[in-house]
Amino acid sequence: MSASNTPVPLTAGKSQNLRGVAVIPGDKSVSHRALIFGAMAVGETVITGLLEGEDVLDTARAMKALGAKVTRDEDGTWRVNGVGTGGFREPDHVIDCGNSGTGCRLIMGTVATHPFSVTFTGDASLCSRPMGRILDPLSLFGTRSEGRSGGRLPLTLIGTDNPVPVTYKLPMASAQVKSAVLLAGLNAPGVTTVIEPEATRDHTERMLRGFGAAIEIHETDEGREISLEGQPELTSCAVTVPRDPSSAAFPVVAALITKGSEISIAGVSRNPTRDGLYHTLIEMGGDLTFTNEREEGGEPVADLLVRHSALHGVSVPADRAASMIDEYPILSVAAAFAEGDTVMNGVGELRVKESDRIAAMEAGLNANGVKTSSTPCTFTVTGHNGSGVPGGASVVAHLDHRIAMSFAVLGLAALRPVTVDDASPIATSFPDFQTLMCGLGARLS
Ligand code: S3P
């Protein structure tokens, strides 16, 4: 249900010939980080293209509560006047991270090595998600915590006034955990090191460099080793937020499965730690053409042309999971229209996202006449090539923006309309989703 507890249903009906240029909003991961790093830097950080979704706005409020000055110009430029490394103050109230695991986990990292306590809460989805994966490495710095069973929110983090630097090997592929440890290490004396056996999105490392931190990255037999020297003076900078590839994925798949479609998307991220979906869709027979490869705001980007395509099932390797972890719900919609089975391997992390995304997609796909099967770490969708996806059902979004958008896209090409019980969570990452999709010709109401 929505934050106001009033569900907002959304129905998608059969559409054709999606056409036009999709202007995708700013990247959620980069937006959170731009606010957090700006708040830890000395001077004024100027951010253009910030995603103004609820998740990011919650992080902006948290940075204010910790003592940074955060303002928005009329033209949508954001300015953050930071407090310097180690300069946060104890907030007067509970930090509410809403629906955002990224905001919550990164902010926990930043405050963990400050000498005060902070209480965190969130919506029903966030309060059900595991925080032990953050609390365990933070305890190595000397941070303590008191929360609900399983380390779940609401919880209070008791920061340490005498942090020690840490070397930590990630037990799961998680950019959130990696980033929380690096952020905690910023305010610990000495060198903090994270070893990631599988590469995850690298926005924290890229941005730390941009803000002047001394960070070194080495490929080792154990994986990528990222080390930073603690207590640097971070200096403010200008951040241009690239467009979010995870949001672009929805119009991309909509165009692939909707007859007669041809859309283009300007400046889509080609960061190799984020572009696994594009490789997968091309392997499935998707007609995707990238042109004008360039760099914007420190990230590789390109323009993308997408045409309706006949897709076939593929086996998606486990080692690609981290580079498309948020795209499996919409990939499973593409898979529903493909010929044969699409097997997604090594996707156990989907079970601890905003919802259990394997369970949510299975339930919604099955209700709409698509066969699936799963194990704890794999998900298989049997495509409906030729006969069409029946549709006609109402699905439960489980407070998960990506589940809501995925089923809205399914309904555009299904034989009968598909209804999402509550589309309000879409505002967390893609507030203009409906306007953008309808502008391309989608029937959403
Ligand atoms: C994110 C990392 C991913 C992703 C999330 C954003 C980030 O989570 O699912 O939407 O910005 O660091 P994990 O790193 O936990 O897989």
Side-chain angles (χ1 to χ4, degrees), residues 28-29 33 102 133 173-176 201 325-326 349 353:
K28 186 153 70 70
S29 294
R33 288 163 171 81
T102 306
R133 56 178 56 199
S174 170
Q176 294 179 352
R201 65 190 67 194
I325 193 65
D326 291 335
E349 278 291 298
K353 294 294 176 188

Side-chain angles (χ1 to χ4, degrees), residues 27-30 32-33 102 105-106 129 133 173-177 179 200-201 203-204 274 325-326 349 353-354 357 401-402:
D27 189 281
K28 186 153 70 70
S29 294
V30 175
H32 283 296
R33 288 163 171 81
T102 306
R105 290 170 173 149
L106 267 54
R129 297 180 67 182
R133 56 178 56 199
S174 170
Q176 294 179 352
V177 179
S179 302
T200 65
R201 65 190 67 194
H203 308 300
T204 296
R274 294 288 295 278
I325 193 65
D326 291 335
E349 278 291 298
K353 294 294 176 188
E354 285 83 332
R357 286 184 170 161
H401 52 135
R402 297 198 202 282

Side-chain angles (χ1 to χ4, degrees), residues 103-283:
C104 186
R105 290 170 173 149
L106 267 54
I107 297 167
M108 283 183 175
T110 60
V111 299
T113 45
H114 283 71
F116 51 75
S117 300
V118 185
T119 302
F120 291 87
T121 193
D123 70 4
S125 157
L126 188 57
C127 286
S128 70
R129 297 180 67 182
M131 294 297 158
R133 56 178 56 199
I134 299 291
L135 303 176
D136 290 348
L138 294 186
S139 71
L140 303 175
F141 289 94
T143 310
R144 291 177 299 125
S145 61
E146 279 293 340
R148 291 196 302 142
S149 59
R152 287 169 305 139
L153 302 186
L155 69 77
T156 298
L157 214 60
I158 304 140
T160 169
D161 56 2
N162 192 16
V164 290
V166 156
T167 294
Y168 189 68
K169 185 170 175 181
L170 294 180
M172 74 287 289
S174 170
Q176 294 179 352
V177 179
K178 168 178 70 178
S179 302
V181 176
L182 291 174
L183 284 162
L186 277 179
N187 197 33
V191 176
T192 286
T193 300
V194 180
I195 300 150
E196 55 173 5
E198 281 175 63
T200 65
R201 65 190 67 194
D202 60 357
H203 308 300
T204 296
E205 298 91 301
R206 284 173 188 261
M207 211 177 277
L208 272 169
R209 281 217 171 101
F211 278 86
I215 177 161
E216 286 194 18
I217 302 174
H218 298 289
E219 300 297 336
T220 69
D221 290 345
E222 287 190 279
R224 281 176 79 232
E225 196 177 285
I226 306 141
S227 298
L228 69 80
E229 183 71 49
Q231 301 180 325
E233 179 156 301
L234 297 182
T235 42
S236 58
C237 61
V239 181
T240 306
V241 180
R243 299 180 191 285
D244 197 325
S246 301
S247 297
F250 297 99
V252 166
V253 170
L256 286 175
I257 63 173
T258 305
K259 288 211 172 89
S261 297
E262 179 172 318
I263 66 162
S264 54
I265 301 182
V268 82
S269 171
R270 299 253 48 208
N271 180 325
T273 62
R274 294 288 295 278
D275 73 351
L277 177 73
Y278 299 124
H279 294 292
T280 306
L281 291 174
I282 289 168
E283 282 172 15

Side-chain angles (χ1 to χ4, degrees), residues 14 259 336-339 369 382-391 413-416:
K14 198 159 179 60
K259 288 211 172 89
F337 291 90
E339 184 187 348
T382 301
H384 258 266
N385 185 50
S387 57
V389 170
L415 299 175
R416 285 179 295 145

